Amino acid sequence: MSHLTTAGRRRTGTGADRTGFGVPGYAHPLLAPVEWAELTRPGTPLHWAVLNVADGPGARPDPHCLQAAGRLTNAGVRVLGHLDLKRGAYDFGDLVCDAQRYVDWYRVGGFYLDRAPCERSELPGVRRVTATLEAVLDGGHLVLGHGAHPYAGYAEAADQLVTYSGAWSEYRWSQAAPWTAGYSPDHFVHLVHGVPRSHLDEAMRVARWQGAGTIFFTDRSDPGGASAPFAALPGYWDEIVSLVGPGISE
């Protein structure tokens, strides 16, 4: 599939022009210390990692999250604060307040906007949110976590779109929306759980065919929770790091 870079919104980039990882949010650093430590390993092809303290930044700075975010930032890893767009049912004022807390307390370099809506009718509201967050960040990196292909206009509202988040059993047969061919792979993110070790090569081929430059694949799966499969390292972390290849975080 051919991908062309289009003019439009200023892009901050993922920190690499090659395939790399986007970590959608590990468990709290007290519960997943190994996972957070792995993200600072030199040479890991990491584009960003999401910090979710308590379904947002929490009511006050968390010392353990402060330490984890500081270590990642000092290691050159872009940390994104987790915000929930609730499929369009968010409160704009609360969202901006949470964003400011992330910046003030954890010095995040961007935001992961989870449960972003996909409908054309919601686009003006999302554009208002992303423009405001850019002002809060004075730039920064914004990821819209749709989980599926949204209306094409969303492509100009953020630096990256999550166009797939779900199970391997569906991902292996999925197809990219035709409009995505107008953008480079660093514009799209795929998050896939339940990928068997024996199918890692196939999963990588699907991501490349569909033009996704940022990925997170895991063998973990939990039908009862949308984020639980991504809360810990995949069992084949070392193998997939080697498969993707060494990189330098920015």
Side-chain angles (χ1 to χ4, degrees):
M1 179 181 294
S2 174
H3 288 81
L4 305 175
T5 302
T6 64
R9 183 183 182 279
R10 182 181 61 80
R11 301 287 301 284
T12 63
T14 56
D17 59 358
R18 59 190 299 168
T19 302
F21 300 115
V23 178
Y26 284 147
H28 190 279
L30 276 178
L31 302 177
V34 174
E35 281 78 358
W36 287 97
E38 275 294 318
L39 298 183
T40 62
R41 184 201 295 186
T44 301
L46 185 62
H47 291 167
W48 42 258
V50 177
L51 177 67
N52 187 2
V53 181
D55 291 326
R60 61 186 60 84
D62 182 309
H64 303 288
C65 291
L66 281 170
Q67 185 178 59
R71 286 176 176 170
L72 291 178
T73 300
N74 291 338
V77 176
R78 180 184 280 123
V79 179
L80 306 182
H82 179 277
L83 299 172
D84 190 353
L85 291 186
K86 303 178 181 179
R87 299 300 178 195
Y90 56 88
D91 181 280
F92 180 81
D94 289 345
L95 198 75
V96 174
C97 182
D98 282 349
Q100 191 65 61
R101 287 175 175 170
Y102 268 121
V103 172
D104 292 344
W105 296 345
Y106 302 105
R107 305 294 187 228
V108 298
F111 295 105
Y112 183 93
L113 302 171
D114 202 7
R115 295 201 293 171
C118 295
E119 298 80 11
R120 182 175 183 173
S121 61
E122 298 287 348
L123 178 57
V126 173
R127 283 187 178 275
R128 179 190 179 204
V129 167
T130 57
T132 302
L133 294 181
E134 279 208 317
V136 170
L137 289 164
D138 190 22
H141 191 78
L142 301 179
V143 180
L144 286 172
H146 304 284
H149 286 93
Y151 170 66
Y154 283 95
E156 298 301 323
D159 297 288
Q160 289 187 292
L161 311 182
V162 179
T163 52
Y164 187 89
S165 181
W168 164 245
S169 58
E170 297 179 6
Y171 181 66
R172 65 187 307 187
W173 309 115
S174 65
Q175 295 183 354
W179 63 261
T180 63
Y183 294 85
S184 62
D186 71 349
H187 207 60
F188 301 107
V189 182
H190 289 175
L191 310 173
V192 190
H193 61 76
V195 182
R197 184 187 301 268
S198 58
H199 288 274
L200 272 178
D201 284 334
E202 182 184 354
M204 290 295 300
R205 286 196 297 271
V206 174
R208 291 187 179 113
W209 288 336
Q210 295 196 20
T214 301
I215 62 168
F216 191 84
F217 297 156
T218 180
D219 50 350
R220 299 179 184 275
S221 184
D222 181 3
S227 62
F230 305 119
L233 283 172
Y236 41 61
W237 176 248
D238 287 340
E239 183 175 340
I240 194 172
V241 167
S242 297
L243 186 64
V244 173
I248 299 175
S249 298
E250 178 180 81

